[in-house]
Amino acid sequence: MAEMSFLPAADGPGALAARIAASLAARSGFDAAAKLRLMAGGRQVGWLPRGHAGILRGFGAVLGPEQPLADGSVGVALLPGCNGFDARSAMLRTLARQLADAGHVRGWRDELFAVTAALDAPAIAVVERAAARFLGLLTFASHMNGIVDGGSAGQPALWISRRSPAKAVDPGMWDNLVAGGMPHGSDPLATLVRECGEESGIPPELAQRAQAHGSIEVLRDLPEGVQWEQVYVYDLLLPPDFTPRNQDGEVSEHRRVEVAPLLAIMSAGAMTVDATLVTLDALRRRGWLGAGEPD
């Protein structure tokens, strides 16, 4: 992604808000009619695109027959007749590799995500992370706003990070200072603390001070499938002299930005959808959005 210069918008706050809203809307479409509710144990674990269902049926008995549900939608069972966590996980491991070999799944991560109906529900299996969006699975992530409060001496600012151009998802886009998917067996805070160290060099004793601010659900169509994600939101107040340093190669740049240029970055559509929502949430909570800015 080419380097861009973002300056405070000359437009009024209403125009800036409209551009941010338009950018989010353009990237957040979801067509439920083109999906099957992917079911396991009587509960929904994903939104499976109908076209992907046809591909899966070519790999054997992965899906059950389509069944009408009480709300008028259509469901389909995942791995019908396959019982037990280990057996289902083994079948999904084989399936994910088949999908990757056939070119349907890219960006293999060697990281396992839970197949589950909720964060606090037992996982029925695990699957390679790269296959989660193809299946439209419910996934979980932790995002953190890195905040520098200017106090009476200056303007507040946020640290943001640019995703590596080698990333399989949203390469080169701006992101929250810390953002990471939650692997099976982790939890929101543990995920955040780990990602703080890997992405920004934030030591655990500082990362543990992050304040939780609920979650945001993201449900949208993507070229590779569906992003259905529960994003757990955190804020961390950073020392004024702190400078983040990436440790794992997944971040190409960190930048400290004040609110006006940050809004301009978001209005240009240069920040990921999830990070835009998480950032706006922090700015709203802290009263740093002017009148007419996005709610």
Side-chain angles (χ1 to χ4, degrees), residues 161-179:
S161 63
R162 191 193 290 276
R163 296 167 67 85
S164 164
K167 296 277 284 186
V169 176
D170 293 330
M173 296 197 72
W174 288 105
D175 208 338
N176 297 119
L177 176 60
V178 174

Side-chain angles (χ1 to χ4, degrees), residues 67 76 111 129 166 179 204-205 220 242:
Q67 300 285 344
V76 61
E111 186 176 349
R129 176 176 179 171
E205 57 272 18
R220 64 185 183 123
F242 177 81

Side-chain angles (χ1 to χ4, degrees), residues 34 65 104 132 142 170 216:
H104 300 302
S142 294
D170 293 330
I216 294 171

